[in-house]
Amino acid sequence: MRITRLIAGTVSAGLLGVTPLAISAPAGAAVTVTTATSLTSDQTAYVYGDKIYFDAAVTTSDPNNAYAPGSATLYVLTPGSSAWTPVSSDEGVSYLYFTDVKATSNASYKVVYPGGTDGSGNVYTASESVPFTIATARKMTIKNPRGTFIKGKIKPDYKKKKVLIQKKVGKKWKKFRTLKTNKKSAFQTTLPASRKRTFFRFVVKGNSMYAASAQEGSTIAYRSVAPRASLR
């Protein structure tokens, strides 16, 4: 902020025959501009490895100085951590692009704008967004190489852990079988099939780091061909 400072003399204005004048700031004086930072996303739930698309911006309270200078930084806070970690920065703060941000666990994100000064000397206050929280499920890949034989793999590391298989009975899902992944976080099983389509789903429980994940499919047996499974 530009400051005009007056120094008073010891001789009064009356003795000098001077008429005091009101002093005002120059027309082009610098101002302080208040900013606000926002962060949202179209999704609140992702699968491990998905790209996260954020909608973020730094806005101002002054239409004559609508574009804040400088850069803003995206931070992440993961479960069990007490410190926010910088992820990505962008200089176009009027609309922020954070590229190559991928979902790796449940997390909260925020954008921090440290403030700045433009070429006219206007000062823009610092601000930060309200934290935006996302849930991330483990990635479960299931293949059906033949008949009702099912192979699956889970990421990230999920070795020697349980996978619950449920069967749909009426409108409810009930436990059908439990199996364990191997040291490569993979599993395999064969599902039963009948002439009436039967629905199954594979479920991995959630925890503080990951949301629960599930994949659903069905099996059916035909008279002239081997039983088949259809997974999605």
Side-chain angles (χ1 to χ4, degrees):
M1 179 182 292
R2 188 179 300 158
I3 300 175
T4 303
R5 180 174 296 172
L6 302 179
I7 302 176
T10 56
V11 181
S12 70
L15 294 175
L16 295 175
V18 178
T19 301
L21 299 175
I23 298 177
S24 58
V31 297
T32 297
V33 182
T34 301
T35 72
T37 300
S38 61
L39 175 69
T40 59
S41 177
D42 289 340
Q43 295 178 230
T44 57
Y46 291 82
V47 173
Y48 177 81
D50 283 354
K51 186 173 182 178
I52 305 176
Y53 293 93
F54 286 114
D55 184 6
V58 177
T59 57
T60 77
S61 61
D62 185 350
N64 295 318
N65 297 283
Y67 302 105
S71 62
T73 301
L74 177 70
Y75 287 81
V76 65
L77 180 67
T78 54
S81 176
S82 60
W84 289 87
T85 303
V87 177
S88 179
S89 295
D90 186 15
E91 294 184 356
V93 296
S94 59
Y95 189 86
L96 295 161
Y97 292 92
F98 299 114
T99 59
D100 298 326
V101 180
K102 293 186 177 182
T104 56
S105 71
N106 296 335
S108 292
Y109 292 85
K110 71 177 180 179
V111 174
V112 176
Y113 173 63
T117 304
D118 65 17
S120 299
N122 298 320
V123 176
Y124 294 75
T125 62
S127 60
E128 66 178 60
S129 70
V130 174
F132 184 86
T133 300
I134 68 161
T136 299
R138 291 179 182 275
K139 184 175 182 179
M140 188 180 343
T141 304
I142 297 181
K143 296 180 180 180
N144 175 211
R146 66 183 182 278
T148 55
F149 177 59
I150 307 300
K151 298 180 72 173
K153 188 172 179 63
I154 300 172
K155 292 181 179 181
D157 183 23
Y158 198 70
K159 60 185 178 182
K160 303 294 184 179
K161 293 185 179 179
K162 291 182 179 180
V163 176
L164 172 65
I165 304 176
Q166 294 178 321
K167 179 181 178 181
K168 196 168 190 180
V169 181
K171 294 183 178 181
K172 295 183 178 180
W173 290 100
K174 294 188 176 182
K175 180 180 177 180
F176 172 73
R177 182 183 300 163
T178 300
L179 50 82
K180 274 191 176 183
T181 57
N182 61 21
K183 62 182 180 181
K184 295 183 179 180
S185 302
F187 63 89
Q188 61 184 44
T189 189
T190 298
L191 298 176
S194 66
R195 292 182 61 185
K196 182 179 179 181
R197 187 173 294 276
T198 306
F199 290 89
F200 296 91
R201 71 177 180 182
F202 294 80
V203 180
V204 174
K205 290 184 178 180
N207 55 25
S208 62
M209 290 294 293
Y210 297 97
S213 59
Q215 282 208 34
E216 181 182 327
S218 62
T219 62
I220 190 169
Y222 298 94
R223 285 183 179 180
S224 58
V225 295
R228 294 179 181 177
S230 174
L231 278 296
R232 61 184 184 276

